[in-house]
Amino acid sequence: MSLVAYGIAIAAIAYAYSLFFSGSKGETFPPRVPTFLPWIGSAFQYMNSPSEFLANCHKKYGSVYKVLIGGREVVVTSSASVISSMYATDPGALGAHTTHIDIYEAVSGCKGGPEVYRVITQLIFPMLDQRLSRRALEDSVPTIAQAVYNIIKPYTEMQTARVSLMDFINEPLYVATNLAMFGTRFPSGTYHDLRTLDVTMPERFFRVPFWPWKSERARRRLAAKYSDYLNTDDVSDADGPLGFAFKKLFRENNIPLEAATGHMLTFLWGMHSNTSVVALWMFLFLLNDHDALVAVRDEVDRAIKTEFGDFDTFLANVKPKELEGKSFPILTSVILETMRVVIMFVVFRIAKRDWEFKDGGRTVLVPKGEFILGNAQAAHSDETWYKDGHKFVFDRYAQGDYREGRLPTDGNPWFCLGVGRHLCKGRYIAMYELKLAALIFLHRFEITPVNEGSKSWWPPKTTKRTLAVPRTETVMVDVRPRHVDFV
């Protein structure tokens, strides 16, 4: 070994030991998670199972600590007030551009950069604020319920059918929502390719070595179809309200077709991925909790009769506003509680200048160029806010404030749809889709997990590596039409 190589090796070992012992002695604040690996740090543990890694660190080091992840110095906090401050802080102080660019690259396969971030934040986001607002959706989505039912109606004429719960619920929602928002020109047959891409997104995002061919072929097929959709000679009502807006935006701002296709693919993945997995978990929780299932189904049946008169009228006329408010407190509570329990949500920002926050009586500095991660999952399960915070309690929010335009989570830490200036752009349509799924499927079908008696289906096996919501193994169910009086 040369003297230079030997010197580098000795320096690396010394650095690793210094990190390890500085973390293990607990002499610094915030405490540092020890590691023997320079630059890499705890990257392997974090990428392999983010939820488990953060939970173990929270248990050992408390509400704030520091960790090295792939060359990034990261301060982690689980304080609800600090996470709220992260959302409220000006992007000039805490930037989210690295996250947006990383997601764009992982989904689209295209190179990100400042121009990609500019298009997302200065062009696409303002357009989505308008097109996905509560008022705009009142005119855009009335056809979704009827379209969903038209797809699943053949099952009402079968004695029984064995299906994947994920696909039974979400493929009709996917097709119907895209038809309403992107019009009749939107390419058909894309659901399973988007699901394939979604399943491998943690590996793509973390750049973990895996066999990517199936995922990459799915992504290329999606990109080709979305490119054809964007590349039509004209823009018309056949593109739907959201498709029309996307095409107009890309053309007026001279966005190259490849980049536009990447943005379109990234948006559609974001629009459908977490909603579909939350919908699955919502039904899984209900199927595992008899009292919850009975309570939600009674509320659904009663509301369809009293608020709409009959099921056909409900399908023809239901709008987002009619599913808000006091008619569905238990259903809304189930959705919010599902999100609280299952979403492994982190808020990741880079300090663009020195940023400070308080932890108890101590000040924590996030130096310029370093990162801060808000561990919302820990805040969501904090027993000081939530009794039995690790459990699914279906009526936890049923007595909350249900005034128009509000979620009954006010006063408790709940970050699943963002906060303040960083609210989820698709929050209204996501809530609408989830409520429609419960209303239509619970009203028209009895759904029973295969091997229900043995409980071998619960809890379902989940993937450790995840971006937001844990993916499960395929859960098969038997579906039968409900024999009730549909007045």
Side-chain angles (χ1 to χ4, degrees):
M1 178 184 290
S2 70
L3 289 176
V4 173
Y6 184 78
I8 292 174
I10 293 296
I13 293 172
Y15 176 72
Y17 269 84
S18 70
L19 287 180
F20 180 80
F21 286 111
S22 67
S24 59
K25 290 180 180 179
E27 297 174 349
T28 60
F29 182 80
R32 175 184 285 276
V33 177
T35 177
F36 280 112
L37 299 175
W39 194 87
I40 294 173
S42 301
F44 293 141
Q45 299 96 310
Y46 178 75
M47 291 188 298
N48 185 58
S49 181
S51 179
E52 183 178 350
F53 174 76
L54 292 175
N56 289 338
C57 289
H58 177 76
K59 183 178 180 179
K60 186 171 184 178
Y61 302 107
S63 62
V64 59
Y65 52 90
K66 200 165 188 177
V67 60
L68 178 65
I69 301 177
R72 294 177 173 183
E73 293 284 355
V74 183
V75 174
V76 181
T77 177
S78 60
S79 165
S81 61
V82 177
I83 295 172
S84 295
S85 296
M86 291 171 63
Y87 274 116
T89 298
D90 187 277
L94 292 180
H97 57 282
T98 55
T99 300
H100 288 300
I101 291 172
D102 288 347
I103 290 175
Y104 174 85
E105 291 182 344
V107 177
S108 70
C110 300
K111 182 66 177 176
E115 175 61 12
V116 165
Y117 183 66
R118 183 191 72 83
V119 172
I120 293 171
T121 57
Q122 297 183 26
L123 300 179
I124 295 177
F125 279 178
M127 179 271 288
L128 293 177
D129 284 335
Q130 295 181 347
R131 295 290 180 166
L132 296 181
S133 67
R134 292 174 71 241
R135 178 177 296 181
L137 288 178
E138 289 293 308
D139 299 323
S140 302
V141 300
T143 60
I144 293 180
Q146 186 66 64
V148 168
Y149 186 65
N150 289 344
I151 295 169
I152 63 173
K153 191 173 182 180
Y155 289 101
T156 67
E157 300 166 359
M158 300 179 186
Q159 184 175 357
T160 186
R162 182 161 292 183
V163 295
S164 157
L165 181 60
M166 165 66 87
D167 295 338
F168 180 62
I169 298 165
N170 286 297
E171 188 169 6
L173 281 174
Y174 173 88
V175 173
T177 302
N178 286 341
L179 179 63
M181 302 305 294
F182 293 95
T184 56
R185 288 178 171 178
F186 188 82
S188 61
T190 57
Y191 169 79
H192 289 287
D193 278 340
L194 197 66
R195 287 284 307 128
T196 298
L197 182 67
D198 181 49
V199 168
T200 57
M201 265 300 293
E203 285 73 23
R204 298 178 71 94
F205 182 81
F206 290 124
R207 295 177 171 85
V208 175
F210 75 108
W211 185 247
W213 187 235
K214 185 177 180 180
S215 170
E216 187 59 22
R217 284 188 299 175
R219 188 198 66 77
R220 290 177 183 177
R221 286 192 295 267
L222 289 169
K225 291 182 178 181
Y226 296 161
S227 179
D228 290 343
Y229 173 77
L230 293 173
N231 200 31
T232 54
D233 292 333
D234 64 329
V235 179
S236 73
D237 291 341
D239 296 310
L242 199 51
F244 181 95
F246 266 110
K247 287 187 176 185
K248 186 171 181 288
L249 181 150
F250 292 144
R251 295 179 188 207
E252 289 182 349
N253 291 278
N254 297 314
I255 307 299
L257 181 60
E258 182 181 5
T261 301
H263 285 295
M264 186 78 169
L265 177 54
T266 304
F267 169 77
L268 284 162
W269 171 79
M271 180 179 178
H272 292 294
S273 63
N274 286 341
T275 301
S276 65
V277 185
V278 169
L280 173 66
W281 276 104
M282 174 179 69
F283 276 85
L284 290 173
F285 281 130
L286 291 176
L287 295 176
N288 186 56
D289 188 333
H290 176 74
D291 291 342
L293 180 61
V294 170
V296 173
R297 180 167 274 155
D298 286 348
E299 182 178 84
V300 164
D301 290 343
R302 182 172 58 254
I304 287 176
K305 181 177 181 178
T306 60
E307 300 295 324
F308 298 95
D310 58 53
F311 188 63
D312 289 337
T313 304
F314 159 78
L315 292 176
N317 296 286
V318 62
K319 295 183 178 181
K321 189 175 180 179
E322 293 165 317
L323 300 187
E324 296 179 0
K326 298 180 179 180
S327 295
F328 299 97
I330 298 177
L331 173 56
T332 303
S333 177
V334 165
I335 294 172
L336 300 179
E337 179 72 348
T338 299
M339 291 182 180
R340 184 192 69 82
V341 172
V342 304
I343 290 182
M344 199 294 294
F345 195 71
V346 296
V347 188
F348 197 67
R349 300 287 188 267
I350 182 172
K352 302 178 82 171
R353 56 175 179 262
D354 287 356
W355 194 74
E356 294 181 345
F357 65 90
K358 294 288 186 180
D359 181 77
R362 295 173 292 189
T363 299
V364 180
L365 171 67
V366 183
K368 178 181 177 180
E370 295 190 3
F371 294 80
I372 180 169
L373 185 155
N375 183 7
Q377 186 181 39
H380 287 164
S381 58
D382 189 338
E383 294 284 338
T384 61
W385 294 100
Y386 293 107
K387 182 181 178 181
D388 297 324
H390 289 85
K391 295 181 180 180
F392 173 82
V393 180
F394 76 92
D395 57 353
R396 189 183 296 275
Y397 301 103
Q399 304 303 317
D401 185 350
Y402 279 86
R403 284 178 292 174
E404 184 175 315
R406 299 173 69 94
L407 289 176
T409 57
D410 290 353
N412 296 303
W414 195 89
F415 303 104
C416 301
L417 295 176
V419 176
R421 70 174 71 201
H422 294 286
L423 282 167
C424 171
K425 305 301 179 183
R427 62 193 181 279
Y428 295 122
I429 194 167
M431 290 296 293
Y432 182 63
E433 287 185 80
L434 291 168
K435 289 181 180 181
L436 278 185
L439 283 156
I440 295 173
F441 288 92
L442 292 179
H443 188 64
R444 294 299 284 183
F445 296 101
E446 296 286 355
I447 304 174
T448 307
V450 175
N451 300 323
E452 180 187 32
S454 67
K455 278 287 185 178
S456 61
W457 67 278
W458 183 266
K461 294 180 181 178
T462 59
T463 57
K464 286 188 173 183
R465 187 178 294 124
T466 182
L467 291 182
V469 185
R471 272 53 177 169
T472 73
E473 65 180 358
T474 300
V475 177
M476 301 299 293
V477 295
D478 291 325
V479 175
R480 291 177 294 275
R482 285 186 73 205
H483 298 291
V484 296
D485 181 19
F486 298 110
V487 295

